[in-house]
mmCIF file of all heavy atoms in Angstrom:
data_model
loop_
_atom_site.group_PDB
_atom_site.id
_atom_site.type_symbol
_atom_site.label_atom_id
_atom_site.label_comp_id
_atom_site.label_asym_id
_atom_site.label_seq_id
_atom_site.Cartn_x
_atom_site.Cartn_y
_atom_site.Cartn_z
ATOM 1 N N VAL A 43 3.703 9.024 12.529
ATOM 2 C CA VAL A 43 3.741 10.003 11.434
ATOM 3 C C VAL A 43 4.110 9.311 10.115
ATOM 4 O O VAL A 43 3.545 9.629 9.063
ATOM 5 C CB VAL A 43 4.711 11.165 11.760
ATOM 6 C CG1 VAL A 43 4.915 12.061 10.548
ATOM 7 C CG2 VAL A 43 4.174 11.979 12.932
ATOM 8 N N HIS A 44 4.997 8.329 10.176
ATOM 9 C CA HIS A 44 5.374 7.608 8.946
ATOM 10 C C HIS A 44 4.178 6.853 8.356
ATOM 11 O O HIS A 44 3.982 6.845 7.135
ATOM 12 C CB HIS A 44 6.518 6.626 9.221
ATOM 13 C CG HIS A 44 7.806 7.305 9.583
ATOM 14 N ND1 HIS A 44 8.976 6.622 9.813
ATOM 15 C CD2 HIS A 44 8.095 8.625 9.764
ATOM 16 C CE1 HIS A 44 9.941 7.496 10.114
ATOM 17 N NE2 HIS A 44 9.421 8.705 10.098
ATOM 18 N N ALA A 45 3.372 6.237 9.206
ATOM 19 C CA ALA A 45 2.190 5.520 8.709
ATOM 20 C C ALA A 45 1.194 6.511 8.093
ATOM 21 O O ALA A 45 0.595 6.237 7.050
ATOM 22 C CB ALA A 45 1.538 4.730 9.845
ATOM 23 N N ILE A 46 1.029 7.671 8.730
ATOM 24 C CA ILE A 46 0.127 8.701 8.184
ATOM 25 C C ILE A 46 0.646 9.173 6.826
ATOM 26 O O ILE A 46 -0.124 9.293 5.856
ATOM 27 C CB ILE A 46 -0.017 9.893 9.162
ATOM 28 C CG1 ILE A 46 -0.810 9.480 10.404
ATOM 29 C CG2 ILE A 46 -0.703 11.081 8.469
ATOM 30 C CD1 ILE A 46 -0.863 10.550 11.500
ATOM 31 N N ILE A 47 1.953 9.417 6.727
ATOM 32 C CA ILE A 47 2.536 9.862 5.452
ATOM 33 C C ILE A 47 2.260 8.836 4.358
ATOM 34 O O ILE A 47 1.869 9.196 3.235
ATOM 35 C CB ILE A 47 4.058 10.112 5.611
ATOM 36 C CG1 ILE A 47 4.294 11.412 6.397
ATOM 37 C CG2 ILE A 47 4.760 10.151 4.262
ATOM 38 C CD1 ILE A 47 5.761 11.682 6.744
ATOM 39 N N ASP A 48 2.439 7.553 4.659
ATOM 40 C CA ASP A 48 2.203 6.535 3.638
ATOM 41 C C ASP A 48 0.724 6.446 3.258
ATOM 42 O O ASP A 48 0.393 6.172 2.099
ATOM 43 C CB ASP A 48 2.730 5.170 4.092
ATOM 44 C CG ASP A 48 4.115 4.889 3.511
ATOM 45 O OD1 ASP A 48 4.622 5.731 2.733
ATOM 46 O OD2 ASP A 48 4.688 3.836 3.820
ATOM 47 N N ALA A 49 -0.168 6.674 4.209
ATOM 48 C CA ALA A 49 -1.605 6.691 3.894
ATOM 49 C C ALA A 49 -1.917 7.858 2.951
ATOM 50 O O ALA A 49 -2.648 7.708 1.964
ATOM 51 C CB ALA A 49 -2.428 6.788 5.178
ATOM 52 N N LEU A 50 -1.328 9.030 3.255
ATOM 53 C CA LEU A 50 -1.562 10.216 2.413
ATOM 54 C C LEU A 50 -0.999 10.003 1.007
ATOM 55 O O LEU A 50 -1.670 10.303 0.003
ATOM 56 C CB LEU A 50 -0.910 11.455 3.041
ATOM 57 C CG LEU A 50 -1.444 11.906 4.405
ATOM 58 C CD1 LEU A 50 -0.570 13.033 4.954
ATOM 59 C CD2 LEU A 50 -2.898 12.343 4.313
ATOM 60 N N LEU A 51 0.226 9.488 0.933
ATOM 61 C CA LEU A 51 0.864 9.285 -0.371
ATOM 62 C C LEU A 51 0.105 8.226 -1.177
ATOM 63 O O LEU A 51 -0.053 8.357 -2.393
ATOM 64 C CB LEU A 51 2.331 8.871 -0.192
ATOM 65 C CG LEU A 51 3.258 9.949 0.376
ATOM 66 C CD1 LEU A 51 4.642 9.372 0.645
ATOM 67 C CD2 LEU A 51 3.360 11.142 -0.583
ATOM 68 N N GLY A 52 -0.365 7.198 -0.488
ATOM 69 C CA GLY A 52 -1.135 6.150 -1.164
ATOM 70 C C GLY A 52 -2.401 6.719 -1.780
ATOM 71 O O GLY A 52 -2.748 6.416 -2.932
ATOM 72 N N ALA A 53 -3.096 7.563 -1.013
ATOM 73 C CA ALA A 53 -4.337 8.159 -1.514
ATOM 74 C C ALA A 53 -4.056 9.109 -2.677
ATOM 75 O O ALA A 53 -4.872 9.256 -3.583
ATOM 76 C CB ALA A 53 -5.044 8.902 -0.383
ATOM 77 N N ALA A 54 -2.873 9.748 -2.639
ATOM 78 C CA ALA A 54 -2.533 10.736 -3.672
ATOM 79 C C ALA A 54 -1.895 10.098 -4.904
ATOM 80 O O ALA A 54 -1.618 10.798 -5.887
ATOM 81 C CB ALA A 54 -1.584 11.782 -3.088
ATOM 82 N N GLY A 55 -1.647 8.790 -4.841
ATOM 83 C CA GLY A 55 -0.981 8.130 -5.960
ATOM 84 C C GLY A 55 0.466 8.576 -6.112
ATOM 85 O O GLY A 55 0.991 8.705 -7.214
ATOM 86 N N GLU A 56 1.114 8.818 -4.963
ATOM 87 C CA GLU A 56 2.467 9.391 -4.965
ATOM 88 C C GLU A 56 3.516 8.452 -4.385
ATOM 89 O O GLU A 56 4.509 8.910 -3.837
ATOM 90 C CB GLU A 56 2.455 10.693 -4.147
ATOM 91 C CG GLU A 56 1.712 11.830 -4.796
ATOM 92 C CD GLU A 56 2.574 12.599 -5.799
ATOM 93 O OE1 GLU A 56 3.723 12.878 -5.515
ATOM 94 O OE2 GLU A 56 2.043 12.890 -6.880
ATOM 95 N N GLY A 57 3.281 7.146 -4.452
ATOM 96 C CA GLY A 57 4.309 6.220 -3.988
ATOM 97 C C GLY A 57 4.337 6.085 -2.483
ATOM 98 O O GLY A 57 3.291 6.084 -1.835
ATOM 99 N N ASP A 58 5.558 6.030 -1.913
ATOM 100 C CA ASP A 58 5.646 5.837 -0.460
ATOM 101 C C ASP A 58 6.779 6.668 0.143
ATOM 102 O O ASP A 58 7.566 7.300 -0.564
ATOM 103 C CB ASP A 58 5.764 4.351 -0.094
ATOM 104 C CG ASP A 58 7.076 3.743 -0.562
ATOM 105 O OD1 ASP A 58 8.020 4.487 -0.905
ATOM 106 O OD2 ASP A 58 7.148 2.502 -0.586
ATOM 107 N N ILE A 59 6.850 6.640 1.457
ATOM 108 C CA ILE A 59 7.785 7.486 2.202
ATOM 109 C C ILE A 59 9.240 7.189 1.838
ATOM 110 O O ILE A 59 10.059 8.094 1.750
ATOM 111 C CB ILE A 59 7.518 7.343 3.724
ATOM 112 C CG1 ILE A 59 8.316 8.362 4.534
ATOM 113 C CG2 ILE A 59 7.792 5.928 4.216
ATOM 114 C CD1 ILE A 59 7.917 8.437 6.001
ATOM 115 N N GLY A 60 9.545 5.906 1.593
ATOM 116 C CA GLY A 60 10.920 5.533 1.262
ATOM 117 C C GLY A 60 11.362 6.096 -0.082
ATOM 118 O O GLY A 60 12.539 6.389 -0.297
ATOM 119 N N GLY A 61 10.413 6.260 -0.995
ATOM 120 C CA GLY A 61 10.727 6.818 -2.300
ATOM 121 C C GLY A 61 10.988 8.317 -2.228
ATOM 122 O O GLY A 61 11.846 8.858 -2.926
ATOM 123 N N LEU A 62 10.230 8.983 -1.334
ATOM 124 C CA LEU A 62 10.325 10.448 -1.221
ATOM 125 C C LEU A 62 11.476 10.884 -0.324
ATOM 126 O O LEU A 62 12.137 11.890 -0.578
ATOM 127 C CB LEU A 62 9.004 10.968 -0.637
ATOM 128 C CG LEU A 62 8.279 12.058 -1.390
ATOM 129 C CD1 LEU A 62 8.050 11.657 -2.823
ATOM 130 C CD2 LEU A 62 6.959 12.388 -0.702
ATOM 131 N N PHE A 63 11.668 10.125 0.764
ATOM 132 C CA PHE A 63 12.683 10.480 1.766
ATOM 133 C C PHE A 63 13.564 9.254 2.023
ATOM 134 O O PHE A 63 13.426 8.605 3.066
ATOM 135 C CB PHE A 63 12.020 10.931 3.072
ATOM 136 C CG PHE A 63 10.928 11.956 2.893
ATOM 137 C CD1 PHE A 63 9.593 11.619 3.110
ATOM 138 C CD2 PHE A 63 11.233 13.261 2.506
ATOM 139 C CE1 PHE A 63 8.574 12.547 2.955
ATOM 140 C CE2 PHE A 63 10.221 14.200 2.354
ATOM 141 C CZ PHE A 63 8.886 13.846 2.569
ATOM 142 N N PRO A 64 14.469 8.919 1.099
ATOM 143 C CA PRO A 64 15.261 7.682 1.238
ATOM 144 C C PRO A 64 16.103 7.690 2.519
ATOM 145 O O PRO A 64 16.657 8.735 2.885
ATOM 146 C CB PRO A 64 16.182 7.709 0.011
ATOM 147 C CG PRO A 64 15.609 8.714 -0.916
ATOM 148 C CD PRO A 64 14.830 9.685 -0.095
ATOM 149 N N ASP A 65 16.170 6.536 3.188
ATOM 150 C CA ASP A 65 16.900 6.521 4.463
ATOM 151 C C ASP A 65 18.419 6.457 4.262
ATOM 152 O O ASP A 65 19.172 6.441 5.231
ATOM 153 C CB ASP A 65 16.372 5.433 5.414
ATOM 154 C CG ASP A 65 16.533 4.047 4.858
ATOM 155 O OD1 ASP A 65 17.196 3.902 3.817
ATOM 156 O OD2 ASP A 65 16.002 3.107 5.479
#
Side-chain angles (χ1 to χ4, degrees):
V43 171
H44 293 183
I46 290 173
I47 286 174
D48 262 358
L50 297 173
L51 292 174
E56 290 276 317
D58 67 15
I59 189 170
L62 233 54
F63 311 110
D65 62 9

